Amino acid sequence: MSWGFLRDLLSGVNKYSTGIGRIWIAIVFIFRLLVYVVAAENVWKYEHDEFECNTKQPGCENVCFDRFFPVSQIRLWALQLILVSTPSLLVAFHVAYRENREKRHNQKLYRSPGEIDGGLLCTYLVSLVLKTGFEIVFLFLFYKLYNGFKVPRLVKCDMRPCPNAVDCYISKPTEKMIFLCFLVATSGVCIVLNVSELSYLICKYSIKCYLKMFSKKQQ
Amino acid sequence: MDWGALQTILGGVNKHSTSIGKIWLTVLFIFRIMILVVAAERVWGDEQDDFICNTLQPGCKNVCYDHFFPISHIRLWALQLIFVSTPALLVAMHVAYRRHEKKRQFRKGDQKCEYKDIEEIRAQRFRIEGTLWWTYTSSIFFRLIFEAVFMYAFYFMYDGFRMPRLMKCSAWPCPNTVDCFVSRPTEKTVFTIFMIAVSSICIMLNVAELCYLLVKFFLKRSRKAGNPKHHPNHETKEETKQNEMNELISDSCQNTVTGFSS
Protein backbone atom coordinates (compact mmCIF):
# COMPACT_ATOMS: atom_id res chain seq x y z
CA MET A 1 0.00 0.00 0.00
CA SER A 2 1.62 3.20 -1.11
CA TRP A 3 1.13 6.19 -3.36
CA GLY A 4 0.72 3.80 -6.32
CA PHE A 5 -2.75 3.02 -5.00
CA LEU A 6 -3.74 6.68 -5.21
CA ARG A 7 -2.28 6.90 -8.68
CA ASP A 8 -4.35 3.88 -9.83
CA LEU A 9 -7.46 5.35 -8.25
CA LEU A 10 -7.08 8.69 -10.01
CA SER A 11 -6.26 7.00 -13.32
CA GLY A 12 -9.53 5.09 -13.07
CA VAL A 13 -11.50 8.29 -12.47
CA ASN A 14 -9.80 9.97 -15.45
CA LYS A 15 -12.26 8.28 -17.84
CA TYR A 16 -15.28 10.01 -16.30
CA SER A 17 -13.78 13.47 -15.97
CA THR A 18 -14.25 16.55 -18.10
CA GLY A 19 -11.27 18.14 -19.89
CA ILE A 20 -10.58 20.46 -16.94
CA GLY A 21 -10.83 17.47 -14.60
CA ARG A 22 -8.11 15.67 -16.58
CA ILE A 23 -5.84 18.71 -16.37
CA TRP A 24 -6.47 18.70 -12.60
CA ILE A 25 -5.51 15.01 -12.38
CA ALA A 26 -2.31 15.66 -14.40
CA ILE A 27 -1.34 18.52 -12.07
CA VAL A 28 -2.01 16.43 -8.96
CA PHE A 29 0.06 13.52 -10.34
CA ILE A 30 3.02 15.41 -11.59
CA PHE A 31 3.35 18.64 -9.66
CA ARG A 32 2.10 17.42 -6.29
CA LEU A 33 2.42 13.64 -5.90
CA LEU A 34 5.63 13.16 -7.89
CA VAL A 35 7.31 16.24 -6.38
CA TYR A 36 6.30 15.02 -2.91
CA VAL A 37 7.74 11.53 -3.42
CA VAL A 38 10.98 12.35 -5.26
CA ALA A 39 11.94 15.63 -3.60
CA ALA A 40 9.92 16.99 -0.70
CA GLU A 41 9.93 13.85 1.47
CA ASN A 42 13.74 13.86 1.60
CA VAL A 43 13.90 17.47 2.71
CA TRP A 44 11.92 16.69 5.87
CA LYS A 45 13.45 13.21 6.40
CA TYR A 46 15.73 14.05 9.33
CA GLU A 47 13.91 17.13 10.60
CA HIS A 48 13.88 15.96 14.22
CA ASP A 49 17.51 14.78 14.27
CA GLU A 50 18.69 18.01 12.73
CA PHE A 51 16.58 20.25 14.99
CA GLU A 52 19.15 21.66 17.40
CA CYS A 53 18.69 23.71 20.56
CA ASN A 54 21.39 25.71 22.31
CA THR A 55 21.20 23.76 25.55
CA LYS A 56 22.39 20.53 27.08
CA GLN A 57 19.21 20.08 29.11
CA PRO A 58 17.80 16.60 28.28
CA GLY A 59 14.27 16.70 26.93
CA CYS A 60 14.37 20.36 25.97
CA GLU A 61 14.85 19.67 22.24
CA ASN A 62 12.03 17.12 22.19
CA VAL A 63 9.63 19.43 23.93
CA CYS A 64 10.50 22.41 21.74
CA PHE A 65 10.24 20.42 18.53
CA ASP A 66 6.82 19.18 19.60
CA ARG A 67 5.74 22.73 20.44
CA PHE A 68 6.72 24.19 17.06
CA PHE A 69 5.76 21.21 14.88
CA PRO A 70 2.55 19.70 16.33
CA VAL A 71 2.04 17.98 12.97
CA SER A 72 4.97 17.94 10.59
CA GLN A 73 4.45 19.95 7.38
CA ILE A 74 5.24 16.89 5.28
CA ARG A 75 2.54 14.85 7.03
CA LEU A 76 0.00 17.63 6.50
CA TRP A 77 1.01 17.65 2.83
CA ALA A 78 0.44 13.88 2.57
CA LEU A 79 -2.96 14.12 4.30
CA GLN A 80 -3.94 16.94 1.99
CA LEU A 81 -3.04 14.87 -1.08
CA ILE A 82 -5.07 11.90 0.15
CA LEU A 83 -8.15 13.88 1.19
CA VAL A 84 -8.15 15.98 -1.97
CA SER A 85 -8.02 12.90 -4.22
CA THR A 86 -10.69 10.80 -2.52
CA PRO A 87 -13.88 12.74 -3.45
CA SER A 88 -13.26 11.41 -6.98
CA LEU A 89 -14.18 8.00 -5.52
CA LEU A 90 -17.79 9.19 -5.17
CA VAL A 91 -17.99 9.52 -8.95
CA ALA A 92 -16.41 6.10 -9.49
CA PHE A 93 -18.88 4.51 -7.03
CA HIS A 94 -21.87 6.16 -8.70
CA VAL A 95 -20.77 4.94 -12.14
CA ALA A 96 -20.27 1.42 -10.74
CA TYR A 97 -23.75 1.61 -9.20
CA ARG A 98 -25.23 2.60 -12.57
CA GLU A 99 -23.45 -0.25 -14.34
CA ASN A 100 -24.67 -2.72 -11.69
CA ARG A 101 -28.22 -1.47 -12.09
CA GLU A 102 -28.06 -2.01 -15.83
CA LYS A 103 -26.77 -5.55 -15.28
CA ARG A 104 -29.48 -6.35 -12.73
CA HIS A 105 -32.32 -5.11 -14.92
CA ASN A 106 -30.63 -6.57 -17.97
CA GLN A 107 -31.47 -3.54 -20.09
CA LYS A 108 -29.93 -0.25 -21.13
CA LEU A 109 -31.12 2.28 -18.54
CA TYR A 110 -28.66 5.05 -19.38
CA ARG A 111 -27.25 6.48 -22.60
CA SER A 112 -23.83 5.75 -21.13
CA PRO A 113 -23.22 4.93 -17.43
CA GLY A 114 -20.15 7.21 -17.43
CA GLU A 115 -21.84 10.21 -19.01
CA ILE A 116 -22.21 13.16 -16.67
CA ASP A 117 -25.95 13.80 -16.44
CA GLY A 118 -28.76 13.52 -13.95
CA GLY A 119 -27.66 12.02 -10.63
CA LEU A 120 -24.06 11.61 -11.75
CA LEU A 121 -23.88 15.35 -12.40
CA CYS A 122 -24.89 16.03 -8.79
CA THR A 123 -22.32 13.54 -7.51
CA TYR A 124 -19.66 15.13 -9.71
CA LEU A 125 -20.53 18.63 -8.47
CA VAL A 126 -20.47 17.43 -4.85
CA SER A 127 -17.02 15.87 -5.39
CA LEU A 128 -15.76 19.16 -6.85
CA VAL A 129 -17.11 21.12 -3.88
CA LEU A 130 -15.51 18.66 -1.45
CA LYS A 131 -12.14 18.81 -3.25
CA THR A 132 -12.15 22.60 -3.16
CA GLY A 133 -13.24 22.57 0.48
CA PHE A 134 -10.43 20.25 1.52
CA GLU A 135 -7.83 22.32 -0.33
CA ILE A 136 -8.96 25.51 1.40
CA VAL A 137 -9.15 23.83 4.82
CA PHE A 138 -5.61 22.51 4.54
CA LEU A 139 -4.19 25.78 3.29
CA PHE A 140 -5.87 27.48 6.26
CA LEU A 141 -4.47 24.82 8.64
CA PHE A 142 -0.96 25.35 7.27
CA TYR A 143 -1.34 29.09 7.69
CA LYS A 144 -2.68 28.83 11.24
CA LEU A 145 -0.33 26.15 12.58
CA TYR A 146 2.86 27.68 11.21
CA ASN A 147 2.02 31.41 11.31
CA GLY A 148 2.10 31.81 7.58
CA PHE A 149 4.14 29.85 5.06
CA LYS A 150 7.54 31.02 6.22
CA VAL A 151 9.96 28.67 7.96
CA PRO A 152 12.17 30.62 10.37
CA ARG A 153 15.82 29.75 10.90
CA LEU A 154 15.59 30.30 14.62
CA VAL A 155 12.80 29.84 17.14
CA LYS A 156 12.91 30.74 20.82
CA CYS A 157 11.57 28.14 23.20
CA ASP A 158 10.99 28.49 26.96
CA MET A 159 8.94 25.42 27.75
CA ARG A 160 9.81 23.17 30.67
CA PRO A 161 12.33 21.53 31.10
CA CYS A 162 14.29 24.17 29.11
CA PRO A 163 16.05 26.28 31.77
CA ASN A 164 15.27 29.65 30.06
CA ALA A 165 14.38 31.02 26.61
CA VAL A 166 16.54 28.78 24.49
CA ASP A 167 17.54 29.28 20.82
CA CYS A 168 16.46 26.38 18.63
CA TYR A 169 17.56 26.07 15.03
CA ILE A 170 15.47 24.45 12.32
CA SER A 171 17.31 22.53 9.62
CA LYS A 172 17.07 23.55 5.93
CA PRO A 173 14.54 26.37 6.50
CA THR A 174 15.03 27.96 3.06
CA GLU A 175 14.59 24.70 1.19
CA LYS A 176 11.48 23.89 3.26
CA MET A 177 10.04 27.32 2.52
CA ILE A 178 10.64 26.86 -1.23
CA PHE A 179 8.74 23.57 -1.18
CA LEU A 180 5.93 25.02 0.94
CA CYS A 181 5.55 27.87 -1.57
CA PHE A 182 5.43 25.25 -4.31
CA LEU A 183 2.71 23.40 -2.38
CA VAL A 184 0.66 26.57 -1.90
CA ALA A 185 1.04 27.53 -5.58
CA THR A 186 -0.09 24.11 -6.83
CA SER A 187 -2.99 24.05 -4.34
CA GLY A 188 -4.02 27.46 -5.62
CA VAL A 189 -3.91 26.27 -9.22
CA CYS A 190 -6.00 23.22 -8.29
CA ILE A 191 -8.58 25.39 -6.51
CA VAL A 192 -8.86 27.62 -9.60
CA LEU A 193 -9.29 24.55 -11.81
CA ASN A 194 -11.98 23.09 -9.53
CA VAL A 195 -13.89 26.37 -9.42
CA SER A 196 -13.68 26.73 -13.22
CA GLU A 197 -14.88 23.17 -13.71
CA LEU A 198 -17.76 23.78 -11.29
CA SER A 199 -18.79 26.97 -13.12
CA TYR A 200 -18.43 25.31 -16.50
CA LEU A 201 -20.66 22.37 -15.54
CA ILE A 202 -23.30 24.54 -13.86
CA CYS A 203 -23.45 26.90 -16.88
CA LYS A 204 -23.49 24.07 -19.41
CA TYR A 205 -26.31 22.14 -17.75
CA SER A 206 -28.34 25.23 -16.87
CA ILE A 207 -28.28 26.28 -20.51
CA LYS A 208 -29.18 22.74 -21.58
CA CYS A 209 -32.08 22.66 -19.11
CA TYR A 210 -33.29 26.10 -20.15
CA LEU A 211 -33.21 25.16 -23.84
CA LYS A 212 -35.17 21.98 -23.13
CA MET A 213 -37.82 23.92 -21.22
CA PHE A 214 -37.94 26.56 -23.97
CA SER A 215 -38.41 23.96 -26.72
CA LYS A 216 -41.12 22.18 -24.66
CA LYS A 217 -42.99 25.48 -24.22
CA GLN A 218 -42.81 26.12 -27.94
CA GLN A 219 -44.31 22.70 -28.61
CA MET B 1 4.51 6.64 -7.45
CA ASP B 2 8.04 7.60 -8.44
CA TRP B 3 10.16 8.17 -11.51
CA GLY B 4 8.76 4.94 -12.99
CA ALA B 5 5.34 6.57 -13.30
CA LEU B 6 6.84 9.50 -15.23
CA GLN B 7 8.67 7.00 -17.41
CA THR B 8 5.36 5.21 -18.19
CA ILE B 9 3.71 8.50 -19.16
CA LEU B 10 6.61 9.57 -21.38
CA GLY B 11 7.16 6.07 -22.77
CA GLY B 12 4.16 6.47 -25.03
CA VAL B 13 5.69 9.60 -26.51
CA ASN B 14 8.94 7.75 -27.22
CA LYS B 15 7.47 5.27 -29.70
CA HIS B 16 6.27 7.98 -32.02
CA SER B 17 8.57 10.97 -31.70
CA THR B 18 10.83 12.31 -34.39
CA SER B 19 14.33 10.79 -34.42
CA ILE B 20 15.72 13.76 -32.55
CA GLY B 21 12.88 13.50 -30.05
CA LYS B 22 13.69 9.82 -29.46
CA ILE B 23 17.33 10.64 -28.83
CA TRP B 24 16.28 13.37 -26.42
CA LEU B 25 14.04 10.98 -24.49
CA THR B 26 16.79 8.35 -24.32
CA VAL B 27 19.26 10.89 -22.99
CA LEU B 28 16.67 12.07 -20.46
CA PHE B 29 15.88 8.59 -19.17
CA ILE B 30 19.34 7.10 -19.10
CA PHE B 31 21.75 9.95 -18.53
CA ARG B 32 19.62 12.12 -16.28
CA ILE B 33 16.84 10.29 -14.44
CA MET B 34 18.74 7.02 -14.01
CA ILE B 35 21.99 8.73 -13.01
CA LEU B 36 20.04 10.86 -10.52
CA VAL B 37 18.36 7.85 -8.93
CA VAL B 38 21.20 5.33 -8.83
CA ALA B 39 24.20 7.57 -8.24
CA ALA B 40 23.65 11.23 -7.51
CA GLU B 41 21.15 10.66 -4.70
CA ARG B 42 23.71 8.53 -2.81
CA VAL B 43 26.41 11.16 -3.18
CA TRP B 44 24.17 13.85 -1.68
CA GLY B 45 22.52 11.46 0.79
CA ASP B 46 24.59 12.48 3.80
CA GLU B 47 25.06 16.10 2.85
CA GLN B 48 23.92 17.74 6.06
CA ASP B 49 25.17 15.08 8.47
CA ASP B 50 28.68 15.30 7.06
CA PHE B 51 28.70 19.07 6.70
CA ILE B 52 31.08 19.92 9.55
CA CYS B 53 31.81 23.35 10.98
CA ASN B 54 34.78 24.14 13.15
CA THR B 55 32.74 25.20 16.14
CA LEU B 56 30.85 23.68 19.04
CA GLN B 57 28.25 26.47 18.96
CA PRO B 58 24.83 24.78 18.63
CA GLY B 59 22.89 25.99 15.63
CA CYS B 60 25.88 27.35 13.74
CA LYS B 61 26.08 24.31 11.44
CA ASN B 62 22.36 24.46 10.64
CA VAL B 63 22.47 28.12 9.84
CA CYS B 64 25.63 27.89 7.73
CA TYR B 65 24.29 24.90 5.79
CA ASP B 66 21.08 26.78 5.09
CA HIS B 67 23.06 29.86 4.00
CA PHE B 68 25.24 28.00 1.49
CA PHE B 69 22.61 25.50 0.24
CA PRO B 70 19.22 27.27 0.02
CA ILE B 71 18.00 24.35 -2.06
CA SER B 72 19.94 21.12 -2.47
CA HIS B 73 21.41 20.24 -5.90
CA ILE B 74 19.54 16.98 -5.90
CA ARG B 75 16.14 18.62 -5.34
CA LEU B 76 16.85 21.23 -7.98
CA TRP B 77 17.67 18.50 -10.49
CA ALA B 78 14.53 16.56 -9.58
CA LEU B 79 12.39 19.68 -10.15
CA GLN B 80 14.24 20.41 -13.41
CA LEU B 81 13.56 16.90 -14.71
CA ILE B 82 9.86 17.12 -13.79
CA PHE B 83 9.38 20.53 -15.43
CA VAL B 84 11.34 19.56 -18.54
CA SER B 85 9.33 16.36 -19.03
CA THR B 86 5.85 17.82 -18.70
CA PRO B 87 5.51 19.88 -21.94
CA ALA B 88 5.09 16.57 -23.81
CA LEU B 89 1.73 16.30 -22.03
CA LEU B 90 0.50 19.41 -23.85
CA VAL B 91 0.65 17.51 -27.12
CA ALA B 92 -1.08 14.48 -25.59
CA MET B 93 -3.90 16.68 -24.26
CA HIS B 94 -4.36 18.40 -27.63
CA VAL B 95 -4.67 15.07 -29.41
CA ALA B 96 -7.12 13.84 -26.77
CA TYR B 97 -9.18 17.02 -27.27
CA ARG B 98 -9.26 16.53 -31.06
CA ARG B 99 -10.29 12.92 -30.61
CA HIS B 100 -13.06 14.00 -28.20
CA GLU B 101 -14.38 16.49 -30.78
CA LYS B 102 -14.43 13.81 -33.49
CA LYS B 103 -16.31 11.46 -31.15
CA ARG B 104 -18.87 14.17 -30.43
CA GLN B 105 -19.36 14.75 -34.16
CA PHE B 106 -19.76 11.02 -34.69
CA ARG B 107 -22.35 10.72 -31.91
CA LYS B 108 -24.35 13.65 -33.29
CA GLY B 109 -24.53 11.73 -36.53
CA ASP B 110 -22.75 14.43 -38.48
CA GLN B 111 -22.69 13.46 -42.15
CA LYS B 112 -19.30 15.15 -42.56
CA CYS B 113 -17.85 12.59 -40.16
CA GLU B 114 -16.26 9.84 -42.21
CA TYR B 115 -15.77 7.28 -39.40
CA LYS B 116 -17.73 4.07 -39.15
CA ASP B 117 -17.42 3.62 -35.40
CA ILE B 118 -15.83 4.93 -32.22
CA GLU B 119 -12.95 2.45 -32.43
CA GLU B 120 -11.91 3.94 -35.74
CA ILE B 121 -11.74 7.36 -34.11
CA ARG B 122 -9.58 5.93 -31.31
CA ALA B 123 -7.23 4.40 -33.87
CA GLN B 124 -7.20 7.55 -36.01
CA ARG B 125 -3.87 9.21 -36.56
CA PHE B 126 -4.03 12.97 -36.64
CA ARG B 127 -1.78 14.95 -38.91
CA ILE B 128 0.43 17.45 -37.21
CA GLU B 129 -0.73 20.58 -38.89
CA GLY B 130 -2.48 23.73 -37.91
CA THR B 131 -2.97 24.08 -34.17
CA LEU B 132 -1.39 20.71 -33.34
CA TRP B 133 1.86 21.79 -35.03
CA TRP B 134 1.84 24.91 -32.85
CA THR B 135 1.26 22.82 -29.71
CA TYR B 136 4.12 20.49 -30.58
CA THR B 137 6.47 23.36 -31.32
CA SER B 138 5.40 25.18 -28.14
CA SER B 139 6.15 22.08 -26.08
CA ILE B 140 9.72 22.02 -27.42
CA PHE B 141 10.00 25.77 -26.80
CA PHE B 142 8.85 25.38 -23.18
CA ARG B 143 11.32 22.56 -22.64
CA LEU B 144 14.10 24.87 -23.79
CA ILE B 145 12.94 27.66 -21.52
CA PHE B 146 12.78 25.39 -18.47
CA GLU B 147 16.22 23.92 -19.13
CA ALA B 148 17.74 27.38 -19.51
CA VAL B 149 15.99 28.75 -16.41
CA PHE B 150 17.16 25.89 -14.21
CA MET B 151 20.73 26.06 -15.53
CA TYR B 152 20.79 29.77 -14.78
CA ALA B 153 19.28 29.22 -11.31
CA PHE B 154 22.04 26.70 -10.61
CA TYR B 155 24.77 29.02 -11.76
CA PHE B 156 23.31 31.94 -9.83
CA MET B 157 22.73 30.10 -6.54
CA TYR B 158 26.05 28.29 -6.36
CA ASP B 159 28.35 30.85 -8.00
CA GLY B 160 29.34 28.51 -10.79
CA PHE B 161 29.37 24.73 -10.95
CA ARG B 162 32.25 23.93 -8.60
CA MET B 163 31.70 22.60 -5.11
CA PRO B 164 34.28 24.15 -2.77
CA ARG B 165 35.91 22.10 -0.02
CA LEU B 166 35.79 24.85 2.52
CA MET B 167 33.31 27.63 3.14
CA LYS B 168 33.72 30.48 5.59
CA CYS B 169 30.59 31.31 7.54
CA SER B 170 29.89 34.19 9.90
CA ALA B 171 26.10 34.01 10.17
CA TRP B 172 24.65 34.35 13.66
CA PRO B 173 24.87 32.36 16.05
CA CYS B 174 28.35 31.45 14.85
CA PRO B 175 30.65 33.34 17.26
CA ASN B 176 33.07 34.49 14.51
CA THR B 177 34.08 33.49 10.98
CA VAL B 178 33.93 29.74 11.13
CA ASP B 179 35.36 27.16 8.69
CA CYS B 180 32.76 24.75 7.36
CA PHE B 181 33.72 21.67 5.35
CA VAL B 182 31.50 20.16 2.68
CA SER B 183 31.39 16.38 2.38
CA ARG B 184 32.64 14.78 -0.91
CA PRO B 185 33.26 18.05 -2.78
CA THR B 186 35.15 16.47 -5.69
CA GLU B 187 32.56 13.77 -6.30
CA LYS B 188 29.81 16.39 -6.14
CA THR B 189 31.69 18.62 -8.60
CA VAL B 190 32.06 15.69 -11.01
CA PHE B 191 28.35 14.90 -10.89
CA THR B 192 27.39 18.57 -11.18
CA ILE B 193 29.51 19.00 -14.28
CA PHE B 194 28.10 15.77 -15.71
CA MET B 195 24.49 16.88 -15.16
CA ILE B 196 25.19 20.32 -16.62
CA ALA B 197 26.85 18.74 -19.68
CA VAL B 198 23.87 16.45 -20.25
CA SER B 199 21.47 19.41 -19.82
CA SER B 200 23.44 21.27 -22.51
CA ILE B 201 23.20 18.26 -24.83
CA CYS B 202 19.44 18.18 -24.25
CA ILE B 203 19.21 21.91 -25.02
CA MET B 204 21.10 21.35 -28.30
CA LEU B 205 18.83 18.44 -29.22
CA ASN B 206 15.74 20.55 -28.54
CA VAL B 207 17.11 23.42 -30.65
CA ALA B 208 17.91 20.98 -33.47
CA GLU B 209 14.39 19.48 -33.30
CA LEU B 210 12.83 22.95 -33.33
CA CYS B 211 14.93 24.00 -36.36
CA TYR B 212 14.07 20.75 -38.13
CA LEU B 213 10.32 21.30 -37.60
CA LEU B 214 10.50 24.94 -38.69
CA VAL B 215 12.54 24.15 -41.81
CA LYS B 216 10.09 21.40 -42.80
CA PHE B 217 7.16 23.72 -42.21
CA PHE B 218 8.56 26.55 -44.33
CA LEU B 219 9.68 24.18 -47.09
CA LYS B 220 6.17 22.73 -47.23
CA ARG B 221 4.64 26.20 -47.38
CA SER B 222 6.98 27.42 -50.10
CA ARG B 223 6.27 24.27 -52.11
CA LYS B 224 2.52 24.83 -51.77
CA ALA B 225 2.88 28.50 -52.73
CA GLY B 226 5.09 27.64 -55.69
CA ASN B 227 2.83 24.84 -56.90
CA PRO B 228 -0.82 26.00 -56.80
CA LYS B 229 -2.00 23.35 -59.35
CA HIS B 230 -0.74 20.61 -57.10
CA HIS B 231 -3.32 17.80 -57.01
CA PRO B 232 -4.40 17.08 -53.42
CA ASN B 233 -4.32 13.29 -53.90
CA HIS B 234 -0.92 13.20 -55.52
CA GLU B 235 1.83 13.21 -52.91
CA THR B 236 5.51 13.49 -53.58
CA LYS B 237 7.93 11.14 -51.83
CA GLU B 238 8.92 13.84 -49.40
CA GLU B 239 5.35 14.66 -48.54
CA THR B 240 4.62 10.99 -47.97
CA LYS B 241 7.57 10.84 -45.58
CA GLN B 242 6.36 14.02 -43.86
CA ASN B 243 2.89 12.56 -43.53
CA GLU B 244 4.27 9.37 -42.08
CA MET B 245 6.31 11.35 -39.62
CA ASN B 246 3.26 13.37 -38.66
CA GLU B 247 1.19 10.22 -38.25
CA LEU B 248 3.89 8.71 -36.08
CA ILE B 249 4.01 11.82 -33.92
CA SER B 250 0.25 11.84 -33.50
CA ASP B 251 0.31 8.15 -32.63
CA SER B 252 2.67 8.98 -29.82
CA CYS B 253 0.07 11.34 -28.45
CA GLN B 254 -2.54 8.62 -28.63
CA ASN B 255 -0.33 6.21 -26.75
CA THR B 256 0.60 8.84 -24.19
CA VAL B 257 -3.05 9.46 -23.51
CA THR B 258 -3.76 5.74 -23.29
CA GLY B 259 -0.76 5.20 -21.05
CA PHE B 260 -1.71 8.12 -18.88
CA SER B 261 -5.29 7.04 -18.43
CA SER B 262 -4.47 3.37 -17.74
Side-chain angles (χ1 to χ4, degrees), chain B residues 1-139:
Chain B
M1 183 71 193
D2 57 8
W3 291 112
L6 191 71
Q7 193 184 2
T8 314
I9 294 169
L10 292 182
V13 182
N14 186 39
K15 275 183 252 170
H16 307 288
S17 292
T18 61
S19 316
I20 305 174
K22 280 184 190 171
I23 296 170
W24 177 82
L25 269 159
T26 311
V27 167
L28 184 81
F29 281 149
I30 297 176
F31 294 104
R32 294 176 83 176
I33 295 178
M34 199 167 153
I35 294 285
L36 183 83
V37 170
V38 309
E41 271 181 1
R42 310 260 155 105
V43 176
W44 270 268
D46 53 6
E47 56 180 324
Q48 194 170 340
D49 290 340
D50 289 349
F51 181 78
I52 309 260
C53 289
N54 189 4
T55 180
L56 285 176
Q57 171 61 47
C60 177
K61 184 174 111 162
N62 274 9
V63 157
C64 291
Y65 181 84
D66 184 62
H67 176 72
F68 291 113
F69 301 106
I71 178 166
S72 170
H73 288 63
I74 217 80
R75 252 79 67 185
L76 208 53
W77 282 327
L79 286 175
Q80 181 182 13
L81 285 171
I82 291 171
F83 274 88
V84 149
S85 311
T86 45
L89 289 180
L90 286 177
V91 180
M93 285 182 190
H94 193 142
V95 167
Y97 169 75
R98 271 203 183 174
R99 204 165 271 140
H100 174 75
E101 288 296 304
K102 296 268 179 190
K103 277 186 195 168
R104 213 160 46 98
Q105 267 182 358
F106 178 78
R107 282 202 193 102
K108 273 187 181 166
D110 194 341
Q111 279 169 357
K112 274 192 225 161
C113 195
E114 63 270 21
Y115 304 105
K116 293 199 184 86
D117 58 23
I118 293 272
E119 285 310 314
E120 210 180 310
I121 297 174
R122 280 209 188 104
Q124 165 69 21
R125 290 172 175 190
F126 291 102
R127 291 170 69 109
I128 295 199
E129 53 195 13
T131 48
L132 192 56
W133 184 90
W134 285 104
T135 308
Y136 194 84
T137 317
S138 314
S139 76

Side-chain angles (χ1 to χ4, degrees), chain B residues 202-218:
Chain B
C202 285
I203 287 176
M204 286 191 302
L205 286 170
N206 285 328
V207 168
E209 197 176 3
L210 200 60
C211 294
Y212 171 73
L213 284 169
L214 287 170
V215 161
K216 279 273 176 185
F217 175 74
F218 286 118

Side-chain angles (χ1 to χ4, degrees), chain A residues 90-107:
Chain A
L90 290 174
V91 176
F93 286 157
H94 196 142
V95 172
Y97 165 76
R98 276 186 170 189
E99 283 167 355
N100 266 339
R101 228 175 133 220
E102 274 189 349
K103 257 190 214 162
R104 254 187 305 133
H105 291 100
N106 220 4
Q107 57 177 304

